[in-house]
Amino acid sequence: MRILTRYVLSELTKVFLVCLFGLTMLMIVVGVVREAAQQQLPASQIARLIPFILPDALRVAVPVTLLLAATSVYGRMSGANEIIAAKSLGISPMVFLTPALFLAALASLATVYLNDLAVSWGRDGARRVVLEAVEEIVYGMLRAQKGYSTQSLAIAVRKVEGRRLIGPNVSIGGNEGAPAMTIDADEAEIRADLKKGVLKIILLNSTFDIEGKAKFQIPDAWEQEIPLQDASRTNAAAKRVPSWLSLNEIPDEELRQRELLRRLEQEDAARAAYQMLSGDLTGLADESWRQRRARIEGEYNHLHRLLTEPHRRWSAGFSCLFFVWVGAPMAIRLKNRDILTSFFLCFLPILVVYYPLLAYGVEGAKNGTLPPYAVWAGNALLALWGWWLLKRVLRY
């Protein structure tokens, strides 16, 4: 029995590792190209993205390649009548299936970790690479397109000579009470200060227009500082999004969110009671009440996302186990030695049923219309389907 177990485990591992390497490399290339094109990263920074994109590529590649390994190995064994020969000797098919399920269980735990690593360390690292390359990104786009813009910053120039920006027009959006302003200058230079976390624009002979309310000129050199976050195309608010938090951070964030909701609802209750006692009933229909209710609904939506995220990551990780749970007995029943045929015949039903059900469960749980554990519905369906297939493999 140990010889059979080692044989199956060896075959599964070889196919799995070869396929995993190929698919991961492909996904890394696609991920790097997509991120570099989206952020307009210079070539010198692209290689730095690879370690941060690797966990994201692996978490997607592991379940698919594990299913491919299981269907190819068991499809070949069944097609060569090895399973039938073993059953004729009184050896249960579970002897062949146990190594795959054991490998899938280990891969599931690893994939849960990769899911957590990809959305926390990986995304944060990729964001940090972009922030550190802002200066090169801005200069690159100004040379190529004569313009660069984000949600908070827009720069247009007539031309770029080395590090000098000729005829720059800089628009800075207002935030946190600061007014928006437009700056026209004869020339400028951009420098990134990573220690302070700001992008410095050194302007010469500049004219400032503050929201059309004030206008003045500074003939000497003027240094305007802009936070790197505002100068880049990364999303600062994404840091608070549950999908960017590690599993260790989510419980604390959930407690803070519940406390915030409790405080907001207490404030609303106190305000409503005061207005009713003072006879200000028309104030209860004020626009500010609708705005406050909209905020509370938004905060509840954030809480639902926090509650859903751990279930989503664990269910996505354990898709490895359930893919093999279905794929291995199905490949044995199909008895097809062609690798791709066995794989697609097993993967197509999963693609049509599992992923839409997972997406529906995640979306419903995030909206609060479904409980958080609804994201396991796809895995539950695969478990039932795999059990039905396994009974027929063991019986016939």
Side-chain angles (χ1 to χ4, degrees):
M1 297 299 179
R2 291 183 179 179
I3 294 176
L4 290 176
T5 300
R6 287 198 298 268
Y7 165 68
V8 173
L9 190 58
S10 173
E11 291 296 309
L12 283 169
T13 303
K14 286 189 291 186
V15 177
F16 171 63
L17 291 179
V18 170
C19 296
L20 181 64
F21 177 80
L23 184 57
T24 302
M25 290 300 102
L26 176 62
M27 295 189 68
I28 285 177
V29 170
V30 172
V32 168
V33 170
R34 181 187 61 197
E35 190 71 19
Q38 181 179 348
Q39 302 291 348
Q40 296 294 317
L41 277 175
S44 59
Q45 299 291 332
I46 291 177
R48 294 184 58 201
L49 280 176
I50 294 176
F52 302 112
I53 290 178
L54 179 59
D56 205 16
L58 283 172
R59 67 170 179 155
V60 177
V62 169
V64 176
T65 52
L66 196 56
L67 175 63
L68 177 59
T71 53
S72 62
V73 169
Y74 289 109
R76 179 184 57 77
M77 291 177 65
S78 183
N81 293 320
E82 293 180 22
I83 305 294
I84 292 177
K87 290 178 73 174
S88 67
L89 296 173
I91 300 173
S92 170
M94 284 303 300
V95 174
F96 296 93
L97 293 171
T98 300
L101 297 175
F102 174 75
L103 181 62
L106 293 180
S108 295
L109 294 173
T111 306
V112 171
Y113 174 73
L114 288 171
N115 268 281
D116 194 43
L117 193 66
V119 301
S120 53
W121 176 82
R123 290 180 182 175
D124 190 56
R127 174 178 169 274
R128 193 164 56 250
V129 169
V130 173
L131 288 177
E132 292 174 359
V134 165
E135 182 180 335
E136 296 179 60
I137 293 171
V138 174
Y139 268 114
M141 293 197 67
L142 290 177
R143 289 191 184 99
Q145 304 175 12
K146 301 295 187 292
Y148 174 82
S149 63
T150 68
Q151 291 183 347
S152 305
L153 173 69
I155 304 175
V157 297
R158 288 203 303 271
K159 60 179 178 177
V160 180
E161 295 180 353
R163 306 288 296 178
R164 295 168 59 216
L165 307 179
I166 308 301
N169 174 274
V170 182
S171 298
I172 302 173
N175 52 40
E176 296 182 358
M181 64 179 173
T182 302
I183 309 171
D184 289 296
D186 290 345
E187 63 180 73
E189 184 179 343
I190 294 175
R191 297 175 191 165
D193 188 335
L194 300 180
K195 290 184 179 179
K196 292 179 64 176
V198 296
L199 185 72
K200 297 180 179 179
I201 305 178
I202 299 94
L203 302 143
L204 183 62
N205 191 22
S206 49
T207 301
F208 289 73
D209 186 346
I210 302 177
E211 288 189 340
K213 299 176 181 178
K215 192 171 185 179
F216 57 91
Q217 187 173 8
I218 300 178
D220 298 327
W222 174 264
E223 191 175 277
Q224 182 70 39
E225 293 186 350
I226 301 168
L228 282 178
Q229 184 62 64
D230 294 339
S232 74
R233 293 181 172 181
T234 59
N235 186 1
K239 290 286 290 179
R240 189 172 175 263
V241 173
S243 61
W244 282 58
L245 299 174
S246 67
L247 287 174
N248 291 332
E249 294 173 315
I250 288 177
D252 291 336
E253 180 67 19
E254 181 188 335
L255 288 175
R256 284 193 292 270
Q257 189 66 15
R258 290 186 184 278
E259 177 60 27
L260 173 62
L261 283 165
R262 185 188 65 80
R263 180 172 56 80
L264 290 175
E265 290 181 337
Q266 284 181 345
E267 289 175 358
D268 279 5
R271 184 183 176 193
Y274 174 78
Q275 288 182 327
M276 286 188 287
L277 288 172
S278 61
D280 184 18
L281 299 181
T282 57
L284 294 173
D286 190 75
E287 177 63 26
S288 62
W289 276 105
R290 283 190 287 271
Q291 293 174 355
R292 290 181 65 85
R293 291 312 304 171
R295 183 192 173 185
I296 289 177
E297 288 175 5
E299 297 298 343
Y300 266 112
N301 183 262
H302 184 69
L303 177 62
H304 293 318
R305 293 169 67 89
L306 285 168
L307 295 173
T308 302
E309 193 60 25
H311 289 276
R312 186 188 68 81
R313 294 188 199 174
W314 280 94
S315 67
F318 271 82
S319 63
C320 297
L321 178 60
F322 292 106
F323 280 13
V324 172
W325 178 252
V326 169
M330 189 172 182
I332 292 175
R333 285 183 58 81
L334 289 173
K335 296 183 180 181
N336 196 317
R337 301 180 66 175
D338 182 68
I339 295 176
L340 292 179
T341 301
S342 296
F343 171 72
F344 282 111
L345 286 175
C346 293
F347 186 64
L348 185 59
I350 291 175
L351 186 65
V352 173
V353 177
Y354 170 77
Y355 284 108
L357 196 57
L358 175 64
Y360 175 75
V362 170
E363 190 63 27
K366 285 181 177 180
N367 293 335
T369 56
L370 294 175
Y373 51 80
V375 300
W376 289 91
N379 289 335
L381 183 62
L382 292 183
L384 294 174
W385 183 18
W387 179 253
W388 181 83
L389 290 169
L390 182 62
K391 287 200 301 182
R392 274 147 185 77
V393 167
L394 296 176
R395 182 178 303 173
Y396 305 111

